[in-house]
Amino acid sequence: METLLATQDYRTWLKATLCALRKRHPARTGRALAMRLDIDPAHLSRVLQGKRHLAVRHIPGLAEFLELNPESTRILETLVLYQTATTPALSHKYFVALQEMRGAHHRTLSDDSHAYFSQWIHPVMRTLLSLVEFRGTSWRRLASLFRAPVTPEEAQASVELLLRLKLIAPDARGILRAMPGTLTSGEAWISEAVRKFQKDTLLLSAELFDRIPKEERDVSTLTIPSSHARLGELRDKIRHFRQELMAWARDLPEEDCVMQLNLQLFPVADASLAQRHRAHGAAE
């Protein structure tokens, strides 16, 4: 059975733990747990199916029912807080707390994937190592290749992460090379990290705006009328543009820099709000 410290979803662990507990103590049923937590048995059933979550207030009763020690109780509470976090900042906070609890020897690929997506330096480092020859000795030199401030320690930590994820590997001469392969962002907890990554790249663009000479960058703004009903078409155009750029980058005869392109599409005004305001005013 998966341990509480290793699980990514406390509900999977809880379902297996309840099943094992019921074999030893037939009276420790799901219905008995629901009564102990003062919740509807149907709600607990949906929790065990991965469709709902418990609240933090349920942790003391659950820990008593399962006879958890204080350390396991703290881990379980942090997992619940992590999986029910309502913002990327909170998600990252509790993810870091879980990493500290697990320790370096408990680090999993999922942990490293989260870290990869949550910081802009890692994708940039991976691409940079496809352009330069680096054997993992001069971290100060490697850090100096970034246009945004990066410390030697940050550069070393990024390389070590990429090695663990097998996104880079030393060749026969010991030079670190980018390896083929991708990391998906399908899991919800990684998606939270992706949102943080996207936000960080926007902040990075603002930070570099005054650092990078005008002839080395391109910043433009386009304000256009659009349609809610045809928003999908607009997103398709952006997706096709990204694919075209990726194909262009693959066919370059030589490369000597890493570029970050951010395409942002946001509604900044909405005419349909006027109708809602009028309807609201009429109701009042």
Side-chain angles (χ1 to χ4, degrees):
M1 183 176 71
E2 186 178 41
T3 66
L4 180 58
L5 198 59
T7 189
Q8 292 295 332
D9 191 327
Y10 74 90
R11 296 168 298 185
T12 303
W13 172 86
L14 178 58
K15 183 177 181 179
T17 300
L18 282 175
C19 183
L21 182 63
R22 191 164 56 247
K23 291 179 180 178
R24 300 195 308 270
H25 305 286
R28 301 283 186 94
T29 63
R31 183 170 293 276
L33 175 58
M35 291 180 61
R36 176 66 183 82
L37 301 181
D38 193 24
I39 61 176
D40 190 323
H43 177 75
L44 177 61
S45 177
R46 287 190 286 270
V47 169
L48 299 178
Q49 293 171 14
K51 298 178 180 179
R52 294 288 188 274
H53 283 287
L54 292 175
V56 173
R57 68 176 183 275
H58 297 136
I59 300 303
L62 179 58
E64 181 181 349
F65 188 87
L66 299 178
E67 299 179 354
L68 299 181
N69 60 36
E71 181 181 4
S72 295
T73 301
R74 185 166 63 93
I75 295 170
L76 178 59
E77 181 178 8
T78 306
L79 278 166
V80 172
L81 288 168
Y82 171 60
Q83 288 191 244
T84 58
T86 55
T87 67
L90 283 175
S91 177
H92 187 68
K93 172 185 175 181
Y94 295 122
F95 169 77
V96 170
L98 286 170
Q99 277 190 310
E100 292 174 351
M101 293 175 187
R102 288 168 178 156
H105 63 287
H106 284 298
R107 182 182 291 276
T108 66
L109 178 62
S110 295
D111 293 336
D112 289 333
S113 299
H114 188 291
Y116 177 84
F117 283 115
S118 66
Q119 297 185 46
W120 66 266
I121 185 176
H122 305 311
V124 175
M125 179 67 78
R126 182 188 182 191
T127 305
L128 179 62
L129 291 176
S130 70
L131 307 181
V132 300
E133 293 192 349
F134 181 71
R135 288 183 171 84
T137 54
S138 179
W139 301 110
R140 186 175 299 279
R141 169 182 166 267
L142 183 61
S144 71
L145 300 180
F146 288 81
R147 304 294 287 268
V150 171
T151 67
E153 293 76 17
E154 289 171 333
Q156 182 176 356
S158 181
V159 168
E160 291 173 349
L161 172 68
L162 295 175
L163 284 168
R164 285 197 302 272
L165 287 169
K166 296 181 172 55
L167 294 177
I168 61 173
D171 64 11
R173 294 189 294 151
I175 297 173
L176 296 176
R177 301 291 189 185
M179 304 300 291
T182 59
L183 291 175
T184 63
S185 58
E187 296 181 69
W189 63 273
I190 293 183
S191 295
E192 292 295 335
V194 171
R195 278 191 281 273
K196 181 182 182 302
F197 169 79
Q198 291 171 334
K199 181 178 179 180
D200 285 349
T201 59
L202 294 176
L203 296 175
L204 178 65
S205 297
E207 180 182 348
L208 291 176
F209 187 85
D210 292 325
R211 291 174 179 265
I212 305 300
K214 184 177 181 180
E215 59 271 16
E216 293 186 43
R217 57 176 169 82
D218 183 276
V219 178
S220 58
T221 302
L222 178 65
T223 304
I224 59 173
S226 186
S227 164
H228 286 292
R230 301 183 66 177
L231 181 58
E233 295 179 36
L234 188 52
R235 295 172 112 167
D236 282 341
K237 290 181 182 295
I238 295 174
R239 178 171 55 83
H240 290 316
F241 176 59
R242 292 199 309 265
Q243 293 172 343
E244 181 181 341
L245 287 182
M246 291 172 64
W248 173 83
R250 284 194 296 268
D251 293 336
L252 288 176
E254 60 181 50
E255 305 114 338
D256 58 9
C257 65
V258 182
M259 290 287 186
Q260 176 76 49
L261 173 65
N262 293 324
L263 296 174
Q264 299 106 40
L265 179 69
F266 288 102
V268 291
D270 197 332
S272 65
L273 291 176
Q275 297 177 345
R276 298 179 203 173
H277 291 328
R278 284 196 296 270
H280 183 66
E284 292 179 339

